[in-house]
Amino acid sequence: MRGLRPRKTLLTGLLVTSLAAPIVGRPAAVAQSSGGAPAPAADAPVVVGAADCTAAKLGTDIPTARIGEPVSRVTLSATWVAETATSPAFCRVDGILAAVDPAPTSRPINFAVVLPASWNRRAVQLGGGGFNGTIPNLTGGAGPGAPSLAARGFVTYGSDSGHQAPTGPGRRGGGAPEAAPATARNTSDDWTLNDEAMANLGYMQMKKTHDAAMVLVERMYGAPPRFNYFIGTSQGGREALTVAQRYPADYNGIVANVPIVSFSTLMLAPELIRIKEKPAANWITPAKVNAIRGEFMRQCDALDGLADGIINNYMACRAIFDVSQGQRGRHPWTAKRCPNNVDPNPADTSNSACLTDGQIATLEFTYSRYPYATPIAHGAKTFGMWVPNTDPSGSGLIMNQRFRGQEGAADNAPMHSHLGVLGVTGFLMKNLAANPLDYVEGGPHNARRVEISKMLDSTNPDLSAFQKRGGKMIVTIGTNDTLASPGAQLDYYEAVLDKMGRRTVDRFARLFVMPQAGHGLSGNSYTTDGNGKTLTPAPIPNRFDQAALLFDWVEKDVAPSMSVVVTAGERTLPLCSYPSYPRYVSGPATAAGSYQCAQ
């Protein structure tokens, strides 16, 4: 368990205007000097036409020796898409990377590469979302009101990560899936029983897709990209961190939004809460949601110097409610305890509703670091779980029913299920019919836990190979995120700083925290402040152009400030680097100049 010691950082503000959504890429050869400064890129675009989008030029396959992770075959199909009033012309190549394992549970990787008619000598790999299963939209927008990267002349490429979903459930941040004319389809869940398919999802599909894309770029344009980027959100954010950790020579710049860093445990964590709630006395019902977030507000709202319905000082608030830290035997929910441990009105949905001892035990579990029976990948000893937020029931953290294996559940009660449950029954238990609530920490699945964490988790804090070759990275998380684990993300930030040192990290990475923003990096102030005063909710400032900051850093050696100004209409706020937060000093509460990034 890593300590969260304070760090001092010089912070200034920089105003930018639009929020860049996840997008992705990389070059086969890096045009950089040994000192890390990028070589100047040629201004003239490379122009191609429909006559170049043919099998004669691009081929119908790629030698497997050109792919850096094992595949048995690579097949290609090219289609020219003519210019329209809203989109420039491009050549789309769809491909299939066939699995090595001949088992019926194995799956191919479907991928696609968009090669623009006018190429700016750059490429970007687009990350996925949710549990993946579909090829990302490679020609979609790069953010609200922003043109797509393909429209700006970037090669874009991505894959379905090596399994196929009927409609791509749970996609977040990677854009809507595109129909692909030449894809292999098998939508059975039994791929989760296959280790090659799991390793593809975990890391190999990124390398395989990248290498295939680079071959196609060279065949089409006669040269590799001068700059290659990877930008992703959620699952794509984990993928972005993964390529920096595993394939650092392939990318010049990376944006990782709300990355699900501890993927193997994040899939398990909702089950851990339901297991904690096996005794009926421990069950937190939806009626308690207002009481929970009201208590978070009461204890934490003013910790940033202003009671305004926004918990900006996320570190101090987490320290209050994480009972695995600080003085032993603390119980931060004592003020909400029901008299004599008897709830006089279980249906009370108000802020003043009380909590039983069992419910308090579940809350302490949910908002404290979870200790592993044995360390898993990269020596991780705990999982960060969740931090205090205003959406405590989000993403199914609080449920309105009982499930099979829980006290009081009906004989025909359903198994508990959520977006990542296949990672528990498939990856971990290797039995799709298993009850995920049968998991026991340190029990018969412990060795498998360690094994799959090595394939799936992007928790390696040593980014020195990426840093030493001049790579740049921008990571942004939100503390109101209930789909990912802000606790795990914050602990990863701390692990990187512990491993590499603040001075080194600041030279190549920005680790931003957006207080009270959710999985889409958006959110609102709460309806009451910490003093109980009723408020009109207002949007959390969240808009900034991450892609532009990254491109300038990589290609012009213009480093972003240690804090940037984010916007929501006329409202502005500094976005601070971990572990700093926006502390109110004086002036209008809606203006960034009224705050200072503090620790």
Side-chain angles (χ1 to χ4, degrees), residues 167-488:
T167 57
R171 294 194 57 79
R172 294 173 185 267
E178 288 189 26
T183 58
R185 304 295 297 169
N186 184 336
T187 60
S188 168
D189 290 336
D190 66 359
W191 70 271
T192 60
L193 306 175
N194 185 281
D195 278 4
E196 182 182 355
M198 179 171 59
N200 276 335
L201 171 66
Y203 63 97
M204 290 200 300
Q205 59 97 0
M206 284 87 85
K207 177 63 173 174
K208 294 175 183 180
T209 302
H210 163 271
D211 289 356
M214 292 306 106
V215 170
L216 289 167
V217 169
E218 293 198 52
R219 287 178 180 176
M220 174 63 87
Y221 303 112
R226 292 180 179 270
F227 301 101
N228 192 64
Y229 299 92
F230 195 117
I231 309 175
T233 290
S234 186
Q235 182 70 257
R238 182 196 65 84
E239 293 167 353
L241 292 179
T242 296
V243 298
Q245 295 165 15
R246 290 182 180 265
Y247 310 113
D250 288 348
Y251 302 88
N252 301 95
I254 288 170
V255 162
N257 288 325
V258 294
I260 52 175
V261 289
S262 304
F263 186 28
S264 65
T265 305
L266 181 66
M267 292 184 288
L268 181 63
E271 307 306 335
L272 297 176
I273 297 174
R274 301 290 86 84
I275 292 168
K276 183 70 175 178
E277 289 184 330
K278 276 188 174 184
N282 290 1
W283 180 25
I284 300 174
T285 65
K288 304 300 181 180
V289 169
N290 286 326
I292 293 167
R293 56 190 167 199
E295 186 64 8
F296 285 149
M297 275 291 150
R298 187 184 72 82
Q299 295 197 48
C300 297
D301 186 11
L303 293 177
D304 56 11
L306 181 67
D308 61 349
I310 302 174
I311 301 173
N312 278 323
N313 192 346
Y314 57 92
M315 293 289 284
C317 191
R318 185 188 191 193
I320 291 171
F321 288 94
D322 181 355
V323 298
S324 73
Q325 310 292 294
Q327 184 179 354
R328 297 184 66 179
R330 294 187 305 109
H331 294 289
W333 297 93
T334 299
K336 298 299 296 181
R337 184 178 184 271
C338 295
N340 301 315
N341 193 34
V342 176
D343 189 346
N345 184 7
D348 183 1
T349 61
S350 71
N351 282 8
S352 59
C354 69
L355 301 165
T356 64
D357 289 347
Q359 292 170 333
I360 287 173
T362 298
L363 286 170
E364 290 181 350
F365 177 85
T366 303
Y367 293 97
S368 297
R369 291 170 176 83
Y370 176 82
Y372 301 134
T374 56
I376 60 172
H378 310 298
K381 297 179 180 178
T382 63
F383 177 70
M385 298 294 279
W386 282 269
V387 301
N389 62 80
T390 60
D391 186 25
S393 62
S395 308
L397 295 186
I398 293 175
M399 301 292 288
N400 64 355
Q401 67 181 110
R402 304 295 281 165
F403 298 94
R404 196 176 308 176
Q406 292 183 319
E407 181 184 4
D411 292 341
N412 62 347
M415 298 279 201
H416 180 246
S417 182
H418 61 94
L419 177 62
V421 74
L422 287 174
V424 181
T425 57
F427 296 161
L428 180 58
M429 295 180 167
K430 293 189 172 182
N431 178 4
L432 294 175
N435 186 342
L437 301 190
D438 289 340
Y439 175 78
V440 176
E441 182 65 34
H445 300 295
N446 194 65
R448 181 66 172 170
R449 280 274 292 118
V450 176
E451 182 182 6
I452 69 174
S453 72
K454 294 176 181 177
M455 296 190 204
L456 299 173
D457 294 352
S458 61
T459 52
N460 186 353
D462 186 358
L463 301 172
S464 57
F466 180 72
Q467 176 261 325
K468 288 177 181 177
R469 64 174 299 280
K472 306 297 186 228
M473 175 185 295
I474 297 174
V475 189
T476 307
I477 67 171
T479 61
N480 238 43
D481 191 345
T482 54
L483 191 65
S485 163

